[in-house]
Amino acid sequence: MVYSTDTSRVGNPMSTEQQRHRYALSLTVRYADTDAQGHVFFANYLTYADEGLTGYLAAVGCSYSALGEQALDLIYAASRCSHRASARFGDVLQIHTAITTLGNTSVTTSVQVCRGDELLAEIELVSVMVDRSTLSPRTIPDTLREAIARFESA
């Protein structure tokens, strides 16, 4: 990752693709989310992405609770975050979330953390559907696939 010391740099405007994410969660940066420099601590962007995916699943009708009723769970296998600009205490952020790829057992999620139209971070999460008790991989249920397709095509 390349860091810039140019404090005049601002985040990038959202691209057309990013604006197409149908789900967005709004949240306000808490003081506890920030570091000694007053910026949101870098790892907290992954927490925001987790909150985005949790909200997305509930919005499509397949919440974590619903998965749990089927003895299923999603666990994170990989994450990548590109930071574009900083958020600070009190900023209102939008967590734009979309599931971009459904494999046999894996789910790839794209998340953009924005302040208004300003893109602050781009995150990719790869999750694996597992049996809740054994943590062994399980096929993504058709109910989830269908719910996502309905939501994204509405």
Side-chain angles (χ1 to χ4, degrees):
M1 182 175 299
V2 177
Y3 292 95
S4 171
T5 57
D6 178 4
T7 57
S8 66
R9 183 175 155 244
V10 295
N12 301 321
M14 288 179 59
S15 72
T16 303
E17 177 183 327
Q18 292 155 343
Q19 292 173 343
R20 284 196 298 258
H21 284 358
R22 298 186 59 79
Y23 178 79
L25 169 73
S26 183
L27 61 82
T28 301
V29 174
R30 303 170 308 151
Y31 182 75
D33 294 342
T34 62
D35 59 20
Q37 290 82 24
H39 305 272
V40 169
F41 181 66
F42 76 98
N44 286 331
Y45 288 92
L46 293 177
T47 300
Y48 298 161
D50 177 65
E51 290 183 39
L53 178 55
T54 300
Y56 179 94
L57 291 172
V60 303
C62 273
S63 67
Y64 275 109
S65 297
L67 290 174
E69 291 169 5
Q70 300 174 61
L72 296 172
D73 202 355
L74 279 173
I75 59 172
Y76 293 118
S79 62
R80 180 187 56 77
C81 183
S82 297
H83 299 272
R84 306 285 182 219
S86 297
R88 295 182 173 274
F89 171 67
D91 284 352
V92 177
L93 307 178
Q94 298 78 41
I95 314 303
H96 297 268
T97 307
I99 291 179
T100 57
T101 307
L102 288 171
N104 186 41
T105 62
S106 67
V107 176
T108 302
T109 305
S110 170
V111 178
Q112 295 90 27
V113 178
C114 301
R115 181 178 46 228
D117 288 337
E118 182 182 16
L119 177 63
L120 304 181
E122 295 177 283
I123 302 161
E124 181 180 82
L125 301 173
V126 178
S127 310
V128 177
M129 186 70 62
V130 296
D131 178 285
R132 188 167 254 189
S133 57
T134 66
L135 299 182
S136 57
R138 291 292 178 253
T139 301
I140 296 168
D142 288 338
T143 53
L144 178 58
R145 291 178 187 279
E146 293 162 3
I148 291 168
R150 274 192 309 276
F151 182 80
E152 291 297 337
S153 66

